């Protein structure tokens, strides 16, 4: 019900196999106030599962937002493609902001785990709201500054870096220490970080760099003008393993 699925039909089997077994059914909202035996089985019917969109690139409007930075839909879609996620991936989203990348990673890697790493508590709360909105149970919020807060997390198979607060070298070194073949995708809009990443990229077996420029329509009277957003540089870095070149 908290995830907005209170309209689904559920069946509760209590003490199955015993003489006093009981089975009841109804929609979630009807059964919220009922009490059931601790020895129960719950079956939930969701006929709409087959209509769920499986491609990434959710519209920006799908997320709860405030002034917290968010990786926009087109750039997010390309970045996720570069990550080449697997079903059981362990993903770090470092500098997760509003959590749009974390949410889409969790939706793609349904048998994996995503860690949204963010130092601002307000942004963590926003990511939590978006995780709940999409009924995600494989997304965990980690509040703190990278790379220090990464030390106790499981080794990543993939990492997305949307913000480093000046600790890019330390973050990448930490990722490689935990998994030398981790696949890393980094977004940057500043020339300073671009220069730093260009040097760091020389140390990897595989490096791909893309510059993405997106324009969106802006209303001006009765006309629509295409207005450019900041160009984004997308770095894909990996040592060993499958490069997806």
């Amino acid at each position: 019900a908290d995830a907005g699925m209170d309209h689904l039909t559920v069946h509760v089997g209590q003490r199955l196999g015993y003489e006093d077994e009981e089975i009841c059914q109804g929609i979630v909202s009807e059964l919220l106030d009922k009490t059931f035996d601790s020895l129960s089985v719950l079956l939930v019917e969701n006929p709409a599962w087959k209509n769920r969109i499986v491609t990434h690139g959710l519209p920006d409007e799908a997320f709860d937002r405030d002034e917290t930075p968010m990786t926009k839909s087109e750039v997010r879609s390309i970045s996720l493609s570069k990550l080449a996620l697997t079903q059981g991936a362990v993903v770090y989203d470092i500098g997760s902001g509003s959590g749009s990348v974390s949410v889409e990673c969790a939706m793609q890697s349904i048998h994996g785990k995503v860690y949204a790493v963010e130092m601002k508590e307000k942004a963590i709360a926003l990511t939590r709201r978006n995780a709940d909105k999409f009924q995600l149970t494989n997304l965990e919020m980690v509040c703190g500054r990278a790379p220090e807060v990464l030390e106790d997390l499981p080794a990543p198979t993939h990492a997305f870096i949307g913000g480093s607060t000046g600790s890019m070298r330390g973050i990448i070194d930490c990722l490689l220490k935990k998994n030398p073949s981790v696949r890393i995708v980094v977004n940057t809009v500043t020339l300073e970080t671009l220069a730093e990443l260009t040097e760091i990229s020389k140390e990897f077996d595989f490096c791909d760099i893309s510059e993405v420029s997106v324009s969106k329509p802006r209303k001006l009277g009765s006309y629509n003008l295409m207005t450019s957003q900041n160009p984004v540089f997308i770095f894909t870095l990996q040592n060993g393993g499958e490069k997806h070149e």
Side-chain angles (χ1 to χ4, degrees), residues 180-199:
S181 61
V182 61
R183 188 170 179 87
I184 304 170
V185 172
V186 189
N187 284 184
T188 183
V189 297
T190 70
L191 294 178
E192 289 76 14
T193 305
L194 172 63
E196 182 180 16
L197 282 169
T198 300
E199 289 303 311

Side-chain angles (χ1 to χ4, degrees), residues 94-95 117-119 143-150 163-168 170-171 174:
I94 301 171
V117 181
E118 173 59 56
M119 60 187 297
C143 189
R145 184 185 180 93
E148 293 80 10
V149 77
L150 306 178
S164 64
T165 60
S167 302
M168 185 66 70
I171 291 171
C174 178

Side-chain angles (χ1 to χ4, degrees), residues 123-137:
I124 284 287
L126 184 59
T127 296
R128 185 173 289 108
R129 289 211 311 272
N130 281 318
D132 291 342
K133 184 176 183 179
F134 289 93
Q135 303 104 40
L136 298 171
T137 58

Side-chain angles (χ1 to χ4, degrees), residues 39-82:
L39 186 58
S40 296
V41 175
L42 177 69
L43 170 65
V44 184
E45 294 184 57
N46 184 7
W49 69 270
K50 58 182 176 295
N51 297 322
R52 185 166 185 168
I53 297 172
V54 296
T55 52
H56 47 251
L58 287 169
D60 296 337
E61 295 74 23
F63 298 94
D64 286 349
R65 299 176 61 186
D66 55 20
E67 70 278 6
T68 301
M70 183 176 77
T71 303
K72 301 297 175 53
S73 177
E74 292 81 8
V75 173
R76 187 185 336 120
S77 183
I78 294 172
S79 298
L80 287 163
S81 294
K82 297 292 186 180

Side-chain angles (χ1 to χ4, degrees), residues 1 12 19 41 47 62 77 80 105 126 179 225:
V12 183
E19 292 183 359
V41 175
S77 183
L80 287 163
C105 285
L126 184 59
N179 179 5
L225 301 180

Side-chain angles (χ1 to χ4, degrees), residues 72 74-75 78 188-189 210-216 226-234:
K72 301 297 175 53
E74 292 81 8
V75 173
I78 294 172
T188 183
V189 297
S210 302
E211 180 185 1
V212 179
S213 297
V214 178
S215 296
K216 305 288 282 187
M226 297 303 290
T227 302
S228 296
Q229 300 175 355
N230 287 329
V232 179
F233 296 92
I234 302 175

